[in-house]
Amino acid sequence: MNVSGFFQFLLGFIIGIILFGGGIAGGAYYFLTRVAVDPADPMEMNSNNQEEPPEEELTVAEEISEPEPEPEPEPEPEPEPEAEDLPEGAFRATVTWDTGLILRAEPTENSERVGGVAYNQELIILGRSDDNLWQRVRVANTGQEAWVKAGNVSRID
């Protein structure tokens, strides 16, 4: 084997190692980005995967011919709602679970999902299940009542 052949072999070997390593790194990157997805937002669980119909697109001629809408006047700020009277034994709390909580119709894991609440959203805790694993809640801004897993809220009053 001559010196030129040796260098060709060495260069080919090095290029092969680089391509092999690049393929492994690319595959690992692809795999890790696919499995590192955030969980679904529980607030969107109640949407039943219904998408809004797409807005109609205007042609250039229609865009030019339509007058610009007049700006709407600023609405007056609404007065803050008065604190509602809570039932006996009830208290206000906020969600402490960082991905929010799923609202369920009954106090079981297999119960129907009826909505969700986001992190730091205010709830009214109405009571507990017999086994103390679930809490009956009312969502403060909607009035919806449901069950959430106990231990995922923090009392605020």
Side-chain angles (χ1 to χ4, degrees), residues 52-111:
E52 294 181 15
E55 295 180 17
E56 295 181 22
E57 295 184 18
L58 300 175
T59 63
V60 174
E62 290 173 324
E63 287 180 11
I64 293 172
S65 65
E66 289 190 18
E68 291 187 24
E70 295 181 20
E72 295 181 18
E74 294 279 329
E76 295 182 22
E78 296 180 19
E80 290 190 24
E82 297 177 15
E84 66 179 276
D85 294 330
L86 299 178
E88 187 174 327
F91 60 91
R92 295 186 185 284
T94 57
V95 176
T96 57
W97 193 254
D98 61 352
T99 56
L101 297 175
I102 297 172
L103 296 173
R104 298 205 179 261
E106 300 295 326
T108 63
E109 286 284 334
N110 299 328
S111 177

Side-chain angles (χ1 to χ4, degrees), residues 11 14 18 42 60 84 95 112 120 123 128:
L11 182 62
I14 291 172
I18 290 172
V60 174
E84 66 179 276
V95 176
E112 175 188 4
N120 218 19
L123 299 172
R128 288 184 165 263

Side-chain angles (χ1 to χ4, degrees), residues 17-145:
I17 294 295
I18 290 172
L19 289 175
F20 181 74
I24 294 292
Y29 176 78
Y30 175 79
F31 176 74
L32 291 175
T33 56
R34 287 291 184 181
V35 298
V37 177
D38 289 337
D41 185 5
M43 293 298 294
E44 296 174 4
M45 297 274 183
N46 201 20
S47 69
N48 296 329
N49 296 329
Q50 295 177 354
E51 296 181 13
E52 294 181 15
E55 295 180 17
E56 295 181 22
E57 295 184 18
L58 300 175
T59 63
V60 174
E62 290 173 324
E63 287 180 11
I64 293 172
S65 65
E66 289 190 18
E68 291 187 24
E70 295 181 20
E72 295 181 18
E74 294 279 329
E76 295 182 22
E78 296 180 19
E80 290 190 24
E82 297 177 15
E84 66 179 276
D85 294 330
L86 299 178
E88 187 174 327
F91 60 91
R92 295 186 185 284
T94 57
V95 176
T96 57
W97 193 254
D98 61 352
T99 56
L101 297 175
I102 297 172
L103 296 173
R104 298 205 179 261
E106 300 295 326
T108 63
E109 286 284 334
N110 299 328
S111 177
E112 175 188 4
R113 294 178 178 181
V114 294
V117 288
Y119 171 75
N120 218 19
Q121 186 170 348
E122 188 174 320
L123 299 172
I124 299 170
I125 308 300
L126 302 172
R128 288 184 165 263
S129 63
D130 294 335
D131 58 5
N132 285 330
L133 296 177
W134 295 86
Q135 291 176 311
R136 180 82 177 159
V137 300
R138 181 185 311 146
V139 181
N141 57 354
T142 65
Q144 179 182 15
E145 291 189 14

